[in-house]
């Protein structure tokens, strides 16, 4: 659809409004009328830009996915130290749960897997996340920061641990961790509980 600059701005405003509405009410409970009312538009105006609630949700998730990816890459590219890269990545995961709750919830909520793009996004996200962790761990082994015998399984283990932590400590999209608590979790993930 070839939109004018003014129409693109309006479309982006609808997406931003929908982010807040989905964050507050979740996908299943949100209606097109909710989005129209929150954005100050008529429902027919919303349908001019989006065919369905699912299409709006997809735009919201993709915008948050881009924000998340940029935050992750920015954080891990600030240092060459593999330990700091790992720490930065894990902290970003824990700290963005609240501000990018639609994205994180779409990845975790099995009730949203029936939406085709969510399932596809989850697969792409998983693939990229494992790849990022493997690269960080490999650079740590190469530079002598880490001693890992099976990088692929170590990456899987860390990712699974992080997902378990998120589902336990951050049970809903509005949860957040204090910096102190995030550091404590991070230390357990990085160093374990064995006295050295």
């Amino acid at each position: 659809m070839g939109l004018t600059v003014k129409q693109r701005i309006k479309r982006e405003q609808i997406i931003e409004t929908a982010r807040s509405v989905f964050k507050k009410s979740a996908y299943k409970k949100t209606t097109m009328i909710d989005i129209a009312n929150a954005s100050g538009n008529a429902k027919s105006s919303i349908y001019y830009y989006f065919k369905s609630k699912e299409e709006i949700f997809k735009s919201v998730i993709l915008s948050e996915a881009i924000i998340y990816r940029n935050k992750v890459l920015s954080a891990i590219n600030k240092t060459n130290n593999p330990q700091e890269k790992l720490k930065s990545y894990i902290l970003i995961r824990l700290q963005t749960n609240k501000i990018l709750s639609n994205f994180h919830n779409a990845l975790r909520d099995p009730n949203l897997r029936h939406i085709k793009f969510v399932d596809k996004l989850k697969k792409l996200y998983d693939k990229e996340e494992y790849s990022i962790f493997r690269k960080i761990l490999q650079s740590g082994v190469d530079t002598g920061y880490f001693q890992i015998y099976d990088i692929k399984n170590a990456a899987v283990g860390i990712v699974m641990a992080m997902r378990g932590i998120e589902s336990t400590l951050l049970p809903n999209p509005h949860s957040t961790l204090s910096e102190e608590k995030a550091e404590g979790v991070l230390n357990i993930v990085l160093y374990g509980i064995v006295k050295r």
Side-chain angles (χ1 to χ4, degrees), residues 1 3 10-11 14 30-37 39 41-56:
M1 162 170 40
L3 299 175
K10 185 169 183 175
R11 188 178 189 278
I14 293 169
T30 299
T31 66
M32 290 292 270
I33 293 171
D34 295 333
I35 296 168
N37 290 342
S39 66
N41 292 293
K43 189 172 149 184
S44 60
S45 179
I46 302 294
Y47 276 112
Y48 176 79
Y49 296 97
F50 301 95
K51 294 176 188 170
S52 64
K53 176 177 84 167
E54 187 175 307
E55 189 176 316
I56 297 174

Side-chain angles (χ1 to χ4, degrees), residues 83-84 87 186-196:
Q83 189 172 331
E84 288 301 313
K87 180 178 178 180
L186 182 62
N187 286 332
I188 291 171
V189 171
L190 292 178
Y191 309 114
I193 58 172
V194 176
K195 187 175 179 181
R196 298 181 191 274

Side-chain angles (χ1 to χ4, degrees), residues 79-116:
T79 180
N80 289 326
N81 180 315
Q83 189 172 331
E84 288 301 313
K85 282 182 185 282
L86 196 57
K87 180 178 178 180
S88 295
Y89 188 97
I90 292 170
L91 283 174
I92 288 291
R93 277 187 65 121
L94 295 172
Q95 292 170 345
T96 59
N97 191 68
K98 188 173 183 179
I99 59 171
L100 301 174
S101 61
N102 294 300
F103 169 69
H104 286 290
N105 194 41
L107 294 175
R108 287 195 307 251
D109 189 347
N111 296 320
L112 296 176
R113 292 287 150 63
H114 71 282
I115 304 172
K116 205 177 223 178

